[in-house]
Amino acid sequence: MKYKADSAERAQNVGAVIVCAGKGERTGLAYNKILHKVGQKTVIENVLDTFFCICDSVNLTQITLVVSQNDIDAVSDIISTYADNRISITPGGATRGESVYNGLKACPCDVVIIHDGARPYVTPEILKRSVSSAIEHGSGIAAVHSVDTVKRVQNGKLFSLPRTELFNAQTPQTFNYARILDAYGRVEYGACTDDAEVYEKAGYSPVLIDGDYSNTKITTAHDLFPYVPKNCKIGIGYDVHRLVSGRNLILGGVKIDYPLGLLGHSDADVLIHAIMDALLSAAGLPDIGVLFPDTDDRYLGASSIDLLKNVIDKIYEMGFAVGNISAVIIAQRPKLATVIPQMRRTVADIISTDISRINISATTTEGLGIVGSGDAIAANACCLLTEHTNER
Ligand code: MG
């Protein structure tokens, strides 16, 4: 789905402050980690490329890079390759807080995205979610549920904290510009470890949005190569089911208003069947016909979404995570464009991954064959599996 900002969002002038002034001592590099190459490009170019993806959809009009004196020449060289007058450089301060404050003062706007220059895996979807939240609620702080159990030690005594209430804050952290500027002007920010804390100490209430476990900050040498995919496997899946009356039409876990439904032993969700077969194929496992045979009454009328959960558990146990899934539904009727976003969200939620990793499209066969006559719907899917770390 193409993100479409509503008119209220378009009226907002969005700026970005990207903080690059760290020394990166913990990476052990002789240079700032934002100048390290991840793939073909430096960390900061990967970040800038993602910000440029959202320029039109959120009216991003200026990007201020906060850079330490030592790196100004190197970063100037990089941004000259973009030849884009939206990017400017502002000198950093002695602390992260000072650098952010410098950046804010140099980037007047209505809504400001604050992002760490050392988070190159941020996605356009996360940036857009944080901007939407800031427009609606005043702020949008990217965060993920804490995966590890967190302990607090106080006076030598160990306390366990309830994990379900704990989140790891990331960036982007996006704010109403006037409020965050006011907060930095009033709060002793030296001890604050992120911008949400400054905002909170000024009496405002930060709002969390979904970040992504892969949106990590490069901190140590280990982080420099974390998501170079190891042991990648691709898979392909295909399925077709006949359309009949008297059945619900379920596609991608979404019930679709249509007089006909797909015939099958389970709910006959042809898209989820193709996705499951792609995942199983990549993992080198038998296909769904073997795993969930139509001679087994346990799967009579089964929700394919539940079967997908089962498949995801299997591949996760084998040490794989889903890199991305790309699928196409082939149907003459009904038109599916308006329900595809819901299908993507449903599948992403089952896999516990960002919606940007699940893409679904739809096409017709121009009236040809059993699909073209409206008697059947087919689906193709392919996927990439990568070795997982501990993320899901
Ligand atoms: Mg099937």
Side-chain angles (χ1 to χ4, degrees), residues 157-280:
K157 193 164 186 270
L158 190 73
F159 297 89
S160 295
L161 303 177
R163 193 170 64 181
T164 51
E165 296 175 8
L166 296 176
F167 290 84
N168 291 79
Q170 306 178 329
T171 67
Q173 301 196 351
T174 303
F175 302 91
N176 171 287
Y177 177 77
R179 288 191 205 171
I180 192 67
L181 190 70
D182 165 61
Y184 266 93
R186 288 195 288 117
V187 167
E188 285 287 341
Y189 52 75
C192 296
T193 52
D194 72 350
D195 312 299
E197 188 179 352
V198 177
Y199 190 75
E200 179 196 320
K201 287 204 165 128
Y204 299 113
S205 301
V207 173
L208 297 185
I209 58 120
D210 286 339
D212 192 301
Y213 288 101
S214 66
N215 178 29
T216 53
K217 185 177 180 184
I218 293 176
T219 306
T220 65
H222 174 77
D223 303 325
L224 291 170
F225 311 99
Y227 290 105
V228 175
K230 284 184 293 182
N231 200 12
C232 283
K233 290 184 180 281
I234 60 169
I236 186 166
Y238 172 80
D239 197 18
V240 59
H241 281 260
R242 185 177 292 279
L243 276 166
V244 294
S245 55
R247 296 265 303 177
N248 286 328
L249 179 58
I250 314 283
L251 283 174
V254 179
K255 185 171 177 300
I256 298 183
D257 189 20
Y258 193 59
L260 306 177
L262 293 170
L263 181 64
H265 189 65
S266 65
D267 63 5
D269 186 332
V270 68
L271 173 64
I272 300 296
H273 290 189
I275 287 174
M276 286 192 288
D277 270 346
L279 294 166
L280 292 165

Side-chain angles (χ1 to χ4, degrees), residues 70-94:
N70 286 341
D71 298 324
I72 285 185
D73 287 348
V75 174
S76 299
D77 284 350
I78 288 172
I79 65 174
S80 69
T81 65
Y82 284 84
D84 191 308
N85 59 14
R86 281 175 290 204
I87 315 179
S88 62
I89 290 182
T90 290

Side-chain angles (χ1 to χ4, degrees), residues 82-151:
Y82 284 84
D84 191 308
N85 59 14
R86 281 175 290 204
I87 315 179
S88 62
I89 290 182
T90 290
T95 61
R96 184 185 183 280
E98 261 182 49
S99 291
V100 171
Y101 198 17
N102 285 356
L104 288 173
K105 285 185 282 194
C107 187
C109 53
D110 299 318
V111 168
V112 63
I113 307 168
I114 302 173
H115 188 65
D116 294 323
R119 284 189 195 268
Y121 308 109
V122 66
T123 63
E125 298 284 346
I126 301 174
L127 291 174
K128 286 186 281 194
R129 278 201 291 273
S130 74
V131 170
S132 293
S133 174
I135 290 168
E136 196 176 340
H137 308 292
S139 64
I141 314 301
V144 288
H145 263 292
S146 185
V147 173
D148 296 320
T149 298
V150 179
K151 309 286 186 188

